[in-house]
Amino acid sequence: MQFSNKKKLLFFNSITGVVQLVLTVALIFVCTPLFISVLGLEAFGAFGTVSVIGSLSSYANLSLDSTLIKYISEQGKTRESDYDIITSLILLLLILVPLTIFVFVFKDFFLLTILKMPLDFLEPSRILLDCLLVANLVLLPGRIFTTILDVNHKIYLTNLYQFIYNLIYWGGIILVLTNGFGLEYVGFVVLVAAFVWFGLAVYSSLKIWGRFSVKGLKRNFGRIVRKQLKYSTKIYTGSLLNFFYEPLTKILISNFLGLSYAAIYDITLRIKINLFSVYQKLLYPIQPLIAQEQSRDRLKTLIEKVSQIFFYLVIPSAVILLVCTKPIMTLWIGGDNIDLLTFSTVIMVCLSLLMVTTVTPIYIYLRLKNQPSKEIYVQGLNVVVNLLFILVFYRSMGYYAIVLANAVSVLVSFLVLQYYQKKYLNFYSFSNWRELLRYISVFGMILLFTILFSLLFKEFSWINIILVFLFCGLISLTAFYFVKILKKEDLFLFRKEEN
């Protein structure tokens, strides 16, 4: 009975994450073309690039929330855990507040010198940036409180509050745009969404966790700080390097190619992030399981199986992208950049699904099982390869250099993580040529049948796209049933062994 309840909770936590993201994507789907039609493609590019500077303070979090997942999962509800939570909040605020003030004081330098913001957008961009900075002052500490919910397997609450945040955020932007207001009012919406989310997260976490014990904290504060920083700074370095990947790419595009190309990249990035997040939400509940599990054999079996399952689960999304991206972009965004948007989305999003989602389990393992330095190496390679290809090819290839850089960096990271899978857990995602051939056959069959079905429709319409979606889903479920990607006995992998 206990295993059954855990299995149901794991499934419920995962599915609520997916539902939250699907509803959020629907809001973004409505908001993006509305934003472009009302304020223009350059304004959308300005919104995306200012958001990069506005989120600079988020890199002050030292990955303390990730470290908390490890320690609280191992320690449970103890005084030591209370110390960890309070110390994390103190450390976060000590770094976050000065950094926020710094960005606020030098905001014109960031906007004019770093982003090359046109003067027409300068004043609304200032207001937007101010709002984003204040929003991060509550969003980052709030992540400490959502960590408490996640460790107590209340991930469905985290998902609910995230949806409320996104509803206010994107729904508010839609209201702002339909009422004729400009970019600066978007910032006010972001601010309201952040404070509402923070209040909900704090209330629920305190209700579930109870009172914090501060007795003896002063005497133990130095020890807790050293313990947390020793582990979190390694994770943080990898996360910090991530800034030099997609956020810095957006800044480079704004400088080298202009705000219109920055908008194209931002649209592609939002599609990638939201689709990728659907699979991340499915994976997220296994983090506490990996943190708590001490058996190397069980960890190997769990991570190997999850990785193999996700190779198959991403096939329908990849096929839909290959077949339907151009008609979707034509009906959704329109304009003169359809071919570039289509190419960018197909390459960048498909590769992320196939070569990032599928190695996320080993990435989680490295982070939670005392190998965070490997995360630094992977992220560092990502950054170096991406920047190298952009700087070498942007003059000759233009925006296509961005797509090439992204593709090569993703491939390099995938190969490195495959190496770590073999080194630490002694397996590759496909252990032999027979398994790889079966996978390629399934992928090829689903793609072929979906392409043939799509040829029945000569016009681009949402009804036709939905029919192709449904057909691809049906043929995928049929194929997965026959290859048996998930068996009943695999569900026992998600049971934590009782002592």
Side-chain angles (χ1 to χ4, degrees), residues 288-334:
L289 295 178
I290 292 175
Q292 294 165 3
E293 184 58 61
Q294 300 302 315
S295 168
R296 184 177 178 276
D297 289 339
R298 282 181 58 81
L299 279 170
K300 174 185 178 298
T301 305
L302 171 64
I303 292 172
E304 183 177 14
K305 189 62 187 180
V306 170
S307 176
Q308 289 174 353
I309 289 172
F310 270 77
F311 263 101
Y312 284 95
L313 286 182
V314 300
I315 290 177
S317 296
V319 168
I320 289 296
L321 283 165
L322 291 167
V323 177
C324 295
T325 297
K326 186 168 185 177
I328 289 173
M329 289 299 177
T330 302
L331 296 170
W332 180 39
I333 302 295

Side-chain angles (χ1 to χ4, degrees), residues 1 32 66 73 79 92 152 167 171 176 178 205 215 221 281 304 316 334 379 436 439:
M1 181 66 70
T32 302
S66 298
S73 295
R79 180 171 292 181
L92 186 58
N152 284 276
L167 180 62
V176 164
T178 52
S205 60
K215 185 178 180 181
F221 185 74
K281 287 292 183 181
E304 183 177 14
Q379 292 289 1
L436 180 59
Y439 175 75

Side-chain angles (χ1 to χ4, degrees), residues 27 163-173 189 192-194 196-197:
L27 289 168
F163 172 69
I164 293 172
Y165 170 82
N166 288 324
L167 180 62
I168 298 171
Y169 185 105
W170 292 107
I173 292 176
V189 169
V192 172
V196 171
W197 174 85

Side-chain angles (χ1 to χ4, degrees), residues 199-211:
L200 292 170
V202 171
Y203 171 77
S204 290
S205 60
L206 293 179
K207 186 176 180 181
I208 290 168
W209 189 262
R211 296 181 62 182

Side-chain angles (χ1 to χ4, degrees), residues 75-118:
Q75 296 163 182
K77 176 69 170 76
T78 61
R79 180 171 292 181
E80 182 77 4
S81 294
D82 288 345
Y83 291 169
D84 282 325
I85 294 168
I86 297 169
T87 302
S88 295
L89 283 170
I90 294 172
L91 283 173
L92 186 58
L93 292 173
L94 285 174
I95 300 170
L96 178 60
V97 173
L99 183 56
T100 300
I101 294 172
F102 173 80
V103 176
F104 178 80
V105 170
F106 294 99
K107 61 186 169 188
D108 280 357
F109 168 77
F110 284 108
L111 292 173
L112 292 171
T113 306
I114 303 296
L115 297 184
K116 306 292 186 192
M117 189 64 60

Side-chain angles (χ1 to χ4, degrees), residues 375-422:
E375 181 179 346
I376 299 172
Y377 184 62
V378 173
Q379 292 289 1
L381 271 177
N382 244 354
V383 169
V384 171
V385 172
N386 186 61
L387 288 180
L388 181 64
F389 273 78
I390 290 174
L391 295 175
V392 170
F393 293 108
Y394 84 90
R395 285 189 177 89
S396 59
M397 297 180 63
Y399 184 81
Y400 291 98
I402 308 298
V403 181
L404 174 65
N406 181 273
V408 177
S409 62
V410 166
L411 175 61
V412 170
S413 298
F414 175 80
L415 294 175
V416 171
L417 286 167
Q418 286 288 323
Y419 166 76
Y420 285 143
Q421 277 186 171
K422 184 64 176 177

